[in-house]
Amino acid sequence: MDRVYSIEEQKVAEKLTILNTRCVGMLTQLYNVKKACGDSKSRPKYFSEKNYEPLTSRIQKKFPNVDMTKDKDCTREVLTSLNVGGVFCDITINFDLSQNFLDLVTSYCKLMILMGRVEDRKIIVGLFNAAYEMQNGQSEQSFHRLTSMIVEFDNPLKKLMEEFSFHSKNLKSALMSLTEIYREKCSVKETINGLIGIVSKPMHIKNVAKTPKMRTDLVLRNTMNEWIIVGFLLHQLQFTENESHNLWKEALQDCFCFPLYRDEVIVVQRLYETPYIQNNKVSLSKRLKEIADYTTYAVTQSGIKHRETRNILKLSLNELRLIFTDQPGLIGPKAHAAMVLLSLTKNEIQWLVHHSENIPLKFRNKVNADDYQEENLGEMLFCLLEIRALFKKHEDIVRDYFGRYMTEVDLVKFSEVCKKYPDLDEEYHQFVTSFTNAMKDVSLAEDDQKSSNFDGFRLDWFRLQAYTSIAKPSVSIRSIPDLIPVMDAAISHSYYIDGYEKYLDGISNLSFLFFFSNFFRFNFGNCIEDYRFSRYAIAFPMTCDHFIGCTNKFCPEERSPIRHRSVLSAERCLEDMAKQTACHLEELCRESIKLEQQVLPVNAANMLKQDASKAKKKQKDKGRVKEFITPGTESFRKSRENLTRVDRSVASVTELLAAFTHFDTIRVANATLCPIEYLRDVVEETFSGSFAALAFHDPDSGYIARPSELLRSIWAFTGTLKSIDHFATVDIGGLLFHSMLQHTQEIDKRGQKTVSGLYSSWFTDVLLNKIISGGICYTPSHKMFVSHRSISLKAEDYTDIVELEALAELIGPYGIRVICNKIIEKVCLEVTELKKIVQTNLSTLEQIKSKREFVNNNRNVRDCEELLNKTIRIGIMLSLRQLLHDATHSVLSRRTPILLTVIEEFLSHPPNDSYVLHKYETASVTGIECPIDSVLYSALKPKKDSANEGQQIWPLYMVMIAISLSDLLNQDTFIYENVLGGFLNNAHCLAKAINQLASVFFSSGGDKAVLKNLVEFISIASECVLRLECRKTVNENEPVKHYESIYILLDIIVQESHYLKRDTIEKFISHSILRDAYLQVNLIDKDEIKKRRKKVDGRSHEY
């Protein structure tokens, strides 16, 4: 009859373990319900729609008000059993029992408070029961119990205080046992110096880091704050001694926010005021004023203290990280020190997260914002994650160390303690045997250690604490003080063998950051923007791997969205890091271009002008001269500490690249992310469009950068980008290759215009239109177009061999082909117009060709001048195309001489009619000139074959253009200049047009057909000119015409042809006439040339 109550039969240890797990699961479910009902997107529509208001209000009115006193939940039962059994809780003695008891009380209170914050709780439960009743014909079994609890806890704080009045003794004893430990937690500096100061005590570097309170060392101060705040709230602030009041005071002065669950937070002052204001007792007014004062102190002073603590922790974390990296063998002896440091770091980050976003409104203007911000949070996260990674990397070392330690040290100490307390072995022989066997059977084999399980060992110690902590035990735990530190140390060591990762996660997991996305993004943004901390930015995407740890098995439906959001957060962080790196790189590239432009020869004139002005000491001129910045001036500085904008960009790029290359891959949830790939993608996407932007193309004004300037800018640009390879293996060469390869096409993969697209549009739409409108002449002697009158565009700046070779280097043969294809399209349009003109004069041209009657029929041929102008246009276009081909050939001869040799040798073989056009097409891509233009042939083939023009229209075209040459004599711009090697009106481009068109139109008949038609053209043209000159000699009153120019034009046509030879023209025009024509042109003096140009420049001529 003496033992009416048996604590063994109550299974307190098992129930406390299960209930704590279940309370957290219930909190998770309740949290998700609250968030779902509070969010307008996820809130059920029938909660707010007017049509359902009568139904919901009726369900809410029918909500039963049942006073159930006999049904008690498991929590009340366990707490009652502890109270009845006289179990005392002292965290320094029975750690597991006290911790689980305080956790259960705190979780239970949080659950009731959080339930009271769900506004739609009655409707949710009522609707569920109504649906269940409709489906099953009866109410859900637990419905009445749940509704009773909801009604009872409608005012949760008041109800909790009433309920826990019966457990005040146990609660107070557990809280008072925290006094010494809590004060040690407050003195972080002493803890770090005593336990973690490895460098400060080199003689003790190999000593095992341990304390008599190994398990209490790892309890977070935030957790203790929660225990104290809730415990004294339920104890109704009845302080019987100064120590309890001081403990409560220190907790309130340390934190002003009480975290309910995840991001649900309540201000401590509000938490205390609610029940006491409702009591309306005058005696409590003093206590409420005390709470207000402590809250004010916490808001204004705790931030400063925690900021100092974080600064101390950052130094210690870096110290420990470097030592463990250099000497991994120390991880075993210093494991406990590292765990303490990680727990302190987690505590500080957790405190900062909860308090930085929940400062009361009335204090926000009174506090220093820097106290609640951590500019170097990235470094703390980085060091914490690095130490965790070192623990996981050297897992075998740690397991082996603590396996040996348990068998060689812990077991020996336990045996000695058991001999000291023989009563313990007699009363609890089963436990002693279990402990001895567990420590003795530790295997040193790696595979056996991984499969070890010490859950039973730890639960037995928990049970023993419960059995020996009752009112009248056979052996009291207070009577065996030497056993407590030995078993606590053994329990701590056992976690390193079987529950390694779980133990590490419990101490340093950062999953709570998932619910504070604004805080997370804000600090991440600060980290990547400040070059001092950019190196640690990689810690933020790595932290996203912890987010999945916030899930709970009681709420499996949230696991998938949290995993998805974790991966998205990590990807977003990596993308932002890459964009920030690309932004700094772009700034450095612009600076490189600026420096490159400073050393251009054109800028040397400014420096010479400035030096001349200073030498002559002319103040007026000196004031007008713009101050020239000498290249290299930017490298001079008085102090290296004075960083320029470029210095900061260089530092930022260096640090960010170090962050990208610190880890090859990052594991987030079930995804594996490669940081360097994100950088590669963003750099490629950013800079592929930057090359086109460097052209500075303005569609309105028609301006575009010269190809040589663009090439020089891109060289400077790529030179800066290639410097990345010194810090990270990004394969910039490959990225630039792919980017430039896109610029050989007209548009890139994003649909934006490339360098090829911009220059193809400019050459075909701007330059050709300027040439056709007059004022620009093609000079065969200089191989470029030149402007012979003052116009806004200087054609020689874009068409000389240097510029076109630069263009060929930029866009390559494919890009040149894009421009040439656009030119061919314009040629095809002109050929279509030529065909129409010939068709209108078909009968007349047939008579001229058959009867050679030029005098009478020439007057009947219409649109001769238009035909002539359109043919000149075609010649201009083909000349520009030939210049582009020559530039391509010149570049390829330097870059790929072997390839050109192979193609030239391939062309030297005897042609085969079936493959000749394919050979010519291959050659044309490399810029080699061929007898037949295969590209032009392919483009004009549909127009030639549609109505058998090869036998009818195009021979007549040759006749019409031959008789139209004489019309050039009526044009003032038909002036041959020996310096230019051509005519001011580009009439010499007729040679290119006529020969190319003839080779295309008559190629089906072979070389003989081409030669026949060209000979006929020379015959008709020379006969027409000679007849006109003869008529001039008969009629002396006829105005003077430059017949020598048309003879030279015919000679140019023959020289341009692949089929005609010099003796061909001499059959129709004697050599002496040609010689005299060149002689007369050469005898024209420079003054006469200037007069002619001035006369021509006064008029505008458009082809």
Side-chain angles (χ1 to χ4, degrees), residues 7 348 376 405 412 473 548 607 658 751 893 910 947 1069:
I7 196 70
E348 290 303 318
N376 199 6
Y405 197 93
V412 174
I548 195 65
M607 185 174 66
S893 63
I1069 301 174

PDB file of all heavy atoms in Angstrom, residues 7 348 376 405 412 473 548 607 658 751 893 910 947 1069:
ATOM      1  N   ILE A   7       5.666   5.433 -11.006  1.00  0.00           N
ATOM      2  CA  ILE A   7       6.114   6.263 -12.127  1.00  0.00           C
ATOM      3  C   ILE A   7       6.547   5.414 -13.311  1.00  0.00           C
ATOM      4  O   ILE A   7       6.483   5.835 -14.464  1.00  0.00           O
ATOM      5  CB  ILE A   7       7.271   7.186 -11.652  1.00  0.00           C
ATOM      6  CG1 ILE A   7       7.492   8.331 -12.673  1.00  0.00           C
ATOM      7  CG2 ILE A   7       8.569   6.386 -11.482  1.00  0.00           C
ATOM      8  CD1 ILE A   7       6.389   9.320 -12.700  1.00  0.00           C
ATOM      9  N   GLU A 348      21.962  33.853 -32.258  1.00  0.00           N
ATOM     10  CA  GLU A 348      22.044  35.274 -32.614  1.00  0.00           C
ATOM     11  C   GLU A 348      21.304  35.571 -33.911  1.00  0.00           C
ATOM     12  O   GLU A 348      20.623  36.596 -34.034  1.00  0.00           O
ATOM     13  CB  GLU A 348      23.510  35.701 -32.729  1.00  0.00           C
ATOM     14  CG  GLU A 348      24.249  35.748 -31.414  1.00  0.00           C
ATOM     15  CD  GLU A 348      23.571  36.660 -30.407  1.00  0.00           C
ATOM     16  OE1 GLU A 348      23.131  37.755 -30.793  1.00  0.00           O
ATOM     17  OE2 GLU A 348      23.459  36.264 -29.234  1.00  0.00           O
ATOM     18  N   ASN A 376      27.191  42.141 -42.227  1.00  0.00           N
ATOM     19  CA  ASN A 376      28.043  41.014 -42.586  1.00  0.00           C
ATOM     20  C   ASN A 376      27.407  39.692 -42.183  1.00  0.00           C
ATOM     21  O   ASN A 376      28.088  38.787 -41.704  1.00  0.00           O
ATOM     22  CB  ASN A 376      29.409  41.172 -41.908  1.00  0.00           C
ATOM     23  CG  ASN A 376      30.470  40.323 -42.588  1.00  0.00           C
ATOM     24  OD1 ASN A 376      30.208  39.707 -43.614  1.00  0.00           O
ATOM     25  ND2 ASN A 376      31.649  40.282 -42.024  1.00  0.00           N
ATOM     26  N   TYR A 405      36.508   7.050 -27.803  1.00  0.00           N
ATOM     27  CA  TYR A 405      36.375   7.781 -26.541  1.00  0.00           C
ATOM     28  C   TYR A 405      35.338   7.119 -25.632  1.00  0.00           C
ATOM     29  O   TYR A 405      35.544   7.027 -24.410  1.00  0.00           O
ATOM     30  CB  TYR A 405      35.955   9.230 -26.840  1.00  0.00           C
ATOM     31  CG  TYR A 405      36.190  10.175 -25.680  1.00  0.00           C
ATOM     32  CD1 TYR A 405      37.382  10.897 -25.583  1.00  0.00           C
ATOM     33  CD2 TYR A 405      35.240  10.349 -24.689  1.00  0.00           C
ATOM     34  CE1 TYR A 405      37.615  11.755 -24.515  1.00  0.00           C
ATOM     35  CE2 TYR A 405      35.462  11.207 -23.628  1.00  0.00           C
ATOM     36  CZ  TYR A 405      36.651  11.907 -23.537  1.00  0.00           C
ATOM     37  OH  TYR A 405      36.877  12.754 -22.482  1.00  0.00           O
ATOM     38  N   VAL A 412      35.054   3.552 -18.793  1.00  0.00           N
ATOM     39  CA  VAL A 412      35.887   3.432 -17.577  1.00  0.00           C
ATOM     40  C   VAL A 412      35.329   4.312 -16.467  1.00  0.00           C
ATOM     41  O   VAL A 412      35.196   3.875 -15.308  1.00  0.00           O
ATOM     42  CB  VAL A 412      37.344   3.812 -17.908  1.00  0.00           C
ATOM     43  CG1 VAL A 412      38.186   3.840 -16.632  1.00  0.00           C
ATOM     44  CG2 VAL A 412      37.940   2.832 -18.906  1.00  0.00           C
ATOM     45  N   PRO A 473      12.066   8.029  -4.065  1.00  0.00           N
ATOM     46  CA  PRO A 473      12.642   6.938  -4.869  1.00  0.00           C
ATOM     47  C   PRO A 473      13.525   6.048  -4.012  1.00  0.00           C
ATOM     48  O   PRO A 473      13.955   6.416  -2.911  1.00  0.00           O
ATOM     49  CB  PRO A 473      13.475   7.700  -5.896  1.00  0.00           C
ATOM     50  CG  PRO A 473      13.925   8.917  -5.160  1.00  0.00           C
ATOM     51  CD  PRO A 473      12.793   9.288  -4.228  1.00  0.00           C
ATOM     52  N   ILE A 548      14.241  22.837 -46.338  1.00  0.00           N
ATOM     53  CA  ILE A 548      13.417  21.624 -46.318  1.00  0.00           C
ATOM     54  C   ILE A 548      13.343  21.044 -44.913  1.00  0.00           C
ATOM     55  O   ILE A 548      12.439  20.265 -44.599  1.00  0.00           O
ATOM     56  CB  ILE A 548      13.995  20.577 -47.302  1.00  0.00           C
ATOM     57  CG1 ILE A 548      12.983  19.475 -47.596  1.00  0.00           C
ATOM     58  CG2 ILE A 548      15.287  20.011 -46.801  1.00  0.00           C
ATOM     59  CD1 ILE A 548      11.757  19.942 -48.322  1.00  0.00           C
ATOM     60  N   MET A 607      46.100  66.553 -77.697  1.00  0.00           N
ATOM     61  CA  MET A 607      47.245  66.724 -76.812  1.00  0.00           C
ATOM     62  C   MET A 607      48.276  67.661 -77.441  1.00  0.00           C
ATOM     63  O   MET A 607      48.847  68.534 -76.771  1.00  0.00           O
ATOM     64  CB  MET A 607      47.874  65.364 -76.521  1.00  0.00           C
ATOM     65  CG  MET A 607      49.007  65.416 -75.502  1.00  0.00           C
ATOM     66  SD  MET A 607      49.620  63.782 -75.051  1.00  0.00           S
ATOM     67  CE  MET A 607      50.320  63.270 -76.612  1.00  0.00           C
ATOM     68  N   ALA A 658      35.175  34.569 -56.580  1.00  0.00           N
ATOM     69  CA  ALA A 658      35.614  33.649 -55.523  1.00  0.00           C
ATOM     70  C   ALA A 658      34.425  32.928 -54.908  1.00  0.00           C
ATOM     71  O   ALA A 658      34.514  31.741 -54.555  1.00  0.00           O
ATOM     72  CB  ALA A 658      36.384  34.425 -54.454  1.00  0.00           C
ATOM     73  N   GLY A 751      16.122  37.203 -80.791  1.00  0.00           N
ATOM     74  CA  GLY A 751      15.404  37.986 -81.786  1.00  0.00           C
ATOM     75  C   GLY A 751      15.895  39.411 -81.916  1.00  0.00           C
ATOM     76  O   GLY A 751      15.276  40.214 -82.631  1.00  0.00           O
ATOM     77  N   SER A 893      43.120  35.092 -95.809  1.00  0.00           N
ATOM     78  CA  SER A 893      44.487  34.766 -96.204  1.00  0.00           C
ATOM     79  C   SER A 893      45.463  34.891 -95.042  1.00  0.00           C
ATOM     80  O   SER A 893      46.494  34.212 -95.013  1.00  0.00           O
ATOM     81  CB  SER A 893      44.924  35.664 -97.362  1.00  0.00           C
ATOM     82  OG  SER A 893      44.945  37.025 -96.947  1.00  0.00           O
ATOM     83  N   PRO A 910      40.220  21.327-113.987  1.00  0.00           N
ATOM     84  CA  PRO A 910      39.300  21.587-115.115  1.00  0.00           C
ATOM     85  C   PRO A 910      37.858  21.525-114.661  1.00  0.00           C
ATOM     86  O   PRO A 910      37.457  20.604-113.934  1.00  0.00           O
ATOM     87  CB  PRO A 910      39.624  20.434-116.087  1.00  0.00           C
ATOM     88  CG  PRO A 910      41.002  20.007-115.733  1.00  0.00           C
ATOM     89  CD  PRO A 910      41.160  20.245-114.268  1.00  0.00           C
ATOM     90  N   ALA A 947      10.351  32.834-118.634  1.00  0.00           N
ATOM     91  CA  ALA A 947       9.818  33.049-120.003  1.00  0.00           C
ATOM     92  C   ALA A 947      10.908  32.936-121.046  1.00  0.00           C
ATOM     93  O   ALA A 947      10.878  33.590-122.087  1.00  0.00           O
ATOM     94  CB  ALA A 947       9.150  34.417-120.089  1.00  0.00           C
ATOM     95  N   ILE A1069      37.177  49.775-132.400  1.00  0.00           N
ATOM     96  CA  ILE A1069      37.754  51.096-132.134  1.00  0.00           C
ATOM     97  C   ILE A1069      39.263  50.938-132.178  1.00  0.00           C
ATOM     98  O   ILE A1069      39.829  50.124-131.453  1.00  0.00           O
ATOM     99  CB  ILE A1069      37.318  51.633-130.742  1.00  0.00           C
ATOM    100  CG1 ILE A1069      35.788  51.718-130.671  1.00  0.00           C
ATOM    101  CG2 ILE A1069      37.942  52.983-130.458  1.00  0.00           C
ATOM    102  CD1 ILE A1069      35.276  52.106-129.302  1.00  0.00           C
TER     103      ILE A1069
END
